[in-house]
């Protein structure tokens, strides 16, 4: 079965799906995106993803290409047409098509909407059971990573840096040695007393939906979560570490920059959080 994509009002075979060469997303990365997990044909945490999309769009003064209600119909249609049970939906909205000029077009453009699906299997069972390695590098992103912009070149280079170093992810480090986030994940450590630490929200990290859900689940389970900046040194000396994202869930980190974290195996707090998240994931509501 050939996959179907949604492009500006039409459902088309993905292999034939095209965008205009003057789309500002293509020329300037002038657009935003969301990645939403699909579990049992249900879109996981759809509402918070749409809330974050609204925030990204309004920060960049890009209009919605359609109402949230219609967008939900499109997403559900695509999941149905592709008979997608487990995987992800990718949606991208750009400022639209205009002749090339950096400033926003004077004549109003129609925002472009593209949606695709993928049956990605996600990380292996081995990665979850054995944990993964992380490396660090100086943060070289712009000052607003809270906007989920399609401008991801620093993230691409950071992920490639991880691959070249035999790691799963790269954590960005700010000028004060604080860890901000991963190339496509949020960063967490667990320190003495089972205290779970993650960087507070602000302009310098993406407000991960997995991060948000996990905080709720941890608080419901009476686990101690502190939102504060932590440094590379603290991470290297932490008892446990992990990363979160829509596609990596709660992934144990057992090595940072070549140094073993804790026992060098996924820790109990991380395993407990992964179990809580998996339970939440399995319960998501049908559209
Ligand atoms: C830079 C960055 N931080 C964090 C995340 C995690 O966000 P979420 O949990 O919503 O997938 C992502 C996801 O793509 C990301 O790109």
């Amino acid at each position: 079965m050939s996959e179907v994509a949604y492009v500006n009002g039409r459902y088309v075979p993905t292999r034939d799906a095209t965008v205009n060469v003057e789309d500002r997303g293509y020329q300037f990365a002038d657009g935003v995106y969301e990645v939403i997990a699909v579990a049992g044909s249900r879109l996981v945490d759809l509402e918070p993803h749409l809330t974050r999309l609204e925030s990204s769009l309004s920060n960049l003064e890009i209009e919605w290409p359609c109402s949230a209600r219609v967008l939900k119909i499109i997403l559900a249609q695509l999941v149905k047409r592709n008979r997608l049970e487990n995987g992800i939906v990718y949606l991208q909205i750009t400022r639209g098509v205009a002749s090339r000029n950096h400033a926003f077009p004077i004549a109003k453009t129609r925002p472009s909407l593209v949606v695709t699906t993928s049956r990605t299997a996600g990380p292996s069972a081995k990665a979850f059971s054995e944990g993964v390695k992380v490396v660090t590098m100086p943060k070289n992103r712009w000052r607003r990573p809270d906007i989920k912009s399609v401008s991801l070149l620093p993230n691409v280079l950071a992920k490639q840096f991880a691959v070249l170093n035999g790691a799963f992810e790269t954590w960005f480090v700010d000028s004060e040695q604080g860890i901000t986030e991963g190339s496509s994940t949020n960063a967490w450590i667990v320190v003495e007393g089972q205290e779970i630490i993650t960087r507070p929200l602000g302009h310098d990290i993406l407000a991960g939906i997995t991060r948000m859900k996990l905080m709720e689940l941890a608080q419901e389970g009476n686990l101690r979560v502190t939102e504060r900046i932590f440094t590379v040194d603290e991470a290297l000396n932490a008892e446990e570490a992990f990363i979160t994202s829509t596609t990596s869930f709660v992934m144990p980190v057992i090595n940072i920059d070549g140094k073993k974290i804790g026992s060098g195996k996924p820790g109990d707090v991380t395993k407990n959080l992964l179990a809580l998240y998996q339970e939440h994931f399995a319960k998501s509501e049908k559209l």
Side-chain angles (χ1 to χ4, degrees):
M1 186 187 83
S2 86
E3 295 290 314
V4 175
Y6 174 92
V7 185
N8 292 325
R10 293 174 58 222
Y11 295 93
V12 287
T14 305
R15 61 170 178 269
D16 300 330
T18 52
V19 291
N20 192 304
V21 291
E22 289 205 301
D23 192 288
R24 289 179 61 91
Y26 178 62
Q27 293 191 334
F28 295 113
D30 187 3
V32 301
Y33 75 105
E34 281 295 327
V35 176
I36 305 168
V38 176
S41 298
R42 296 180 306 260
L43 287 147
V44 181
D45 295 327
L46 176 62
E47 289 304 330
H49 277 283
L50 294 184
T51 305
R52 184 171 66 186
L53 178 63
E54 159 63 24
S55 158
S56 299
L57 287 170
S58 75
N59 267 301
L60 298 180
E61 297 175 43
I62 298 176
E63 289 191 4
W64 280 78
C66 56
S67 66
R69 188 184 65 81
V70 170
L71 181 57
K72 284 185 199 172
I73 294 171
I74 294 167
L75 299 178
Q77 263 295 316
L78 210 63
V79 167
K80 197 166 157 206
R81 285 177 189 234
N82 285 328
R83 297 199 196 115
L84 182 64
E85 282 179 19
N86 298 302
I88 55 158
V89 168
Y90 173 82
L91 79 90
Q92 176 173 319
I93 299 173
T94 74
R95 200 178 303 279
V97 176
S99 39
R100 192 174 185 282
N101 182 1
H102 287 63
F104 296 176
I106 295 166
K108 221 168 148 120
T109 50
R110 196 163 61 94
S112 303
L113 170 62
V114 170
V115 191
T116 55
T117 62
S118 159
R119 284 169 216 283
T120 161
S124 65
K126 185 168 175 273
F128 285 108
S129 64
E130 293 182 5
V132 297
K133 295 181 184 178
V134 158
V135 285
T136 63
M137 67 180 267
K139 179 183 156 201
N140 62 355
R141 292 198 66 194
W142 68 325
R143 287 175 189 267
R144 293 300 305 274
D146 59 314
I147 301 173
K148 204 165 167 60
S149 146
V150 293
S151 175
L152 289 173
L153 197 50
N155 309 56
V156 168
L157 298 177
K159 192 69 100 184
Q160 184 61 14
F161 181 69
V163 170
L164 292 175
N165 285 284
F168 182 85
E169 177 63 303
T170 296
W171 281 356
F172 291 119
V173 181
D174 68 19
S175 54
E176 266 96 56
Q177 287 301 298
I179 287 164
T180 57
E181 62 181 339
S183 72
S184 62
T185 57
N186 287 112
W188 306 66
I189 56 171
V190 182
V191 297
E192 214 189 318
Q194 307 210 317
E195 185 185 5
I196 304 161
I197 300 171
T198 195
R199 192 172 175 107
L201 295 184
H203 284 171
D204 45 10
I205 64 167
L206 183 75
I209 305 301
T210 321
R211 176 192 179 282
M212 181 196 81
K213 267 294 147 198
L214 198 65
M215 285 194 56
E216 283 173 20
L217 295 168
Q219 274 148 10
E220 280 165 24
N222 288 323
L223 304 174
R224 211 165 126 220
V225 182
T226 309
E227 287 180 278
R228 70 162 173 84
I229 292 173
F230 61 92
T231 62
V232 178
D233 235 37
E234 276 183 278
L236 293 174
N237 292 300
E239 294 189 343
E240 301 180 29
F242 62 93
I243 51 181
T244 55
S245 78
T246 298
T247 50
S248 302
F249 305 165
V250 178
M251 175 61 75
V253 171
I254 45 116
N255 186 298
I256 301 174
D257 284 343
K259 183 176 182 293
K260 197 165 84 172
I261 302 305
S263 64
K265 295 204 171 84
D268 289 341
V269 175
T270 307
K271 285 197 274 190
N272 183 21
L273 289 169
L274 173 60
L276 289 175
Y277 187 73
Q278 280 170 326
E279 210 178 294
H280 158 73
F281 199 80
K283 279 195 311 218
S284 48
E285 282 169 36
K286 191 124 191 126
L287 261 186

